Amino acid sequence: MEFFRNPKINFIGNRKYMYFLSGALVLLSIIVLIVKGGPNYGVDFRGGLLLQVKTEPALKIEEVRSTLASKGYKTEVQTFGEPGMFILKFSSEQISPDEIVNTLKSAHPNTTISLLRTEMVGPSIGRKLTMQAITLVLVGMLLMLIYIWFRFDFRFGVSSVLALFHDTIISLGIFTLLGREFSVPIVAAILTLIGYSINDSIVVADRIREKLRAFGKVIPRNKLEEIFNSGINETLSRTIITSLTTLFPLFTILIFARGTTIFDFALILTIGIIVGTYSSIGIVASIVTDWYKASLKKEKA
């Protein structure tokens, strides 16, 4: 199946516009992160209290939210698993779990409230977790660079990792702008995104490498844009179809699983896949083209 039939889109010829768009999005994302004081860290990172409660018969999520809000608790409430099961997150670890359960029981006397899980995270553990999350993402990118360097060349490796930074920063910026909470599952989503995005870049890079090999060691400078455009266009249908098949189930989660713990995971993956698809089509090959051109110009001089 082909999404496009023999596309001849001049991606490389329009790379300056894509550089401008990417630069603007990255800059805006950095500004959002600075203005907001970084991602909106959840209990996992900033410390606090997490409770899992079960209500029988099942309460609605709005009832739990309004009950706790009416008593002055600043809480994030999410559904979890079966109906009536909720995850409650508090920014303070000083709150008593029994106090929360009693508050819910008082407001809903005909409902049985069961406390199934209690997790407390201190600020020092949160900071340690933050450093571990940053280290994981950076190590993931470094391994990607090494892999692509050996499989293709250094130019593709560096360009792909730059695209990964581009995808991650923009995704985090939009996610933070939407006011969503940065938790441990979001770190897992970002690592998943890195793997997904690099896969698309590898497919494009592999096709371009095949075309470059046809010219041997002497690659004509005036043919570079044509070669790279051809490689991107030939893989365009595959890239778009793969992205859409991944996005459809994510859209389903975003529509039908609002308020659940998996919603934020699906949200940042959706943003990241859209941005990653764009960068693997428009950014990676563009950077490598300019790098090749600069190298050939230097050799000629």
Side-chain angles (χ1 to χ4, degrees), residues 72-235:
Y73 293 110
K74 293 181 179 179
T75 322
E76 181 187 342
V77 183
Q78 295 177 326
T79 56
F80 183 78
E82 61 187 78
M85 195 90 81
F86 300 98
I87 293 290
L88 313 178
K89 295 180 180 178
F90 301 85
S91 56
S92 172
E93 56 186 306
Q94 304 301 324
I95 295 173
S96 163
D98 291 337
E99 184 182 317
I100 299 300
V101 172
N102 290 334
T103 299
L104 291 172
K105 283 181 177 176
S106 300
H108 306 281
N110 297 323
T111 304
T112 303
I113 311 291
S114 306
L115 181 61
L116 303 183
R117 178 162 57 121
T118 301
E119 290 182 13
M120 288 186 185
V121 181
S124 60
I125 295 176
R127 283 192 292 274
K128 185 179 177 183
L129 203 55
T130 302
M131 291 308 300
Q132 286 178 340
I134 293 171
T135 304
L136 275 175
V137 172
L138 292 178
V139 168
M141 289 186 177
L142 178 64
L143 291 174
M144 294 292 179
L145 170 63
I146 294 170
Y147 170 70
I148 300 176
W149 185 358
F150 277 99
R151 182 166 174 193
F152 296 95
D153 65 21
F154 189 61
R155 296 182 186 95
F156 274 109
V158 172
S159 303
S160 299
V161 170
L162 284 175
L164 291 181
F165 272 111
H166 163 278
D167 302 345
T168 305
I169 290 171
I170 294 175
S171 300
L172 264 182
I174 297 173
F175 191 74
T176 304
L177 185 65
L178 294 174
R180 308 307 301 182
E181 188 175 89
F182 189 89
S183 57
V184 169
I186 300 305
V187 177
I190 290 175
L191 290 172
T192 306
L193 169 64
I194 288 172
Y196 184 91
S197 185
I198 204 73
N199 188 48
D200 268 349
S201 298
I202 285 174
V203 170
V204 176
D206 197 39
R207 185 60 57 90
I208 292 172
R209 182 177 61 170
E210 286 178 12
K211 294 185 172 296
L212 288 174
R213 278 178 176 170
F215 291 91
K217 292 185 178 179
V218 183
I219 302 169
R221 191 169 185 270
N222 61 349
K223 288 277 186 185
L224 272 175
E225 292 192 12
E226 181 185 330
I227 295 167
F228 278 71
N229 262 328
S230 175
I232 298 170
N233 278 297
E234 287 177 15
T235 54

Side-chain angles (χ1 to χ4, degrees), residues 31-32 115 122 131 136 199-200 235 255 264 277 288-289 291-292:
I31 290 173
V32 167
L115 181 61
M131 291 308 300
L136 275 175
N199 188 48
D200 268 349
T235 54
I255 293 169
D264 284 347
T277 302
V288 178
T289 303
W291 198 332
Y292 262 106

Side-chain angles (χ1 to χ4, degrees), residues 155 221 224 288-301:
R155 296 182 186 95
R221 191 169 185 270
L224 272 175
V288 178
T289 303
D290 282 329
W291 198 332
Y292 262 106
K293 280 191 169 187
S295 301
L296 292 172
K297 188 177 180 181
K298 193 175 177 181
E299 287 173 9
K300 191 176 179 181

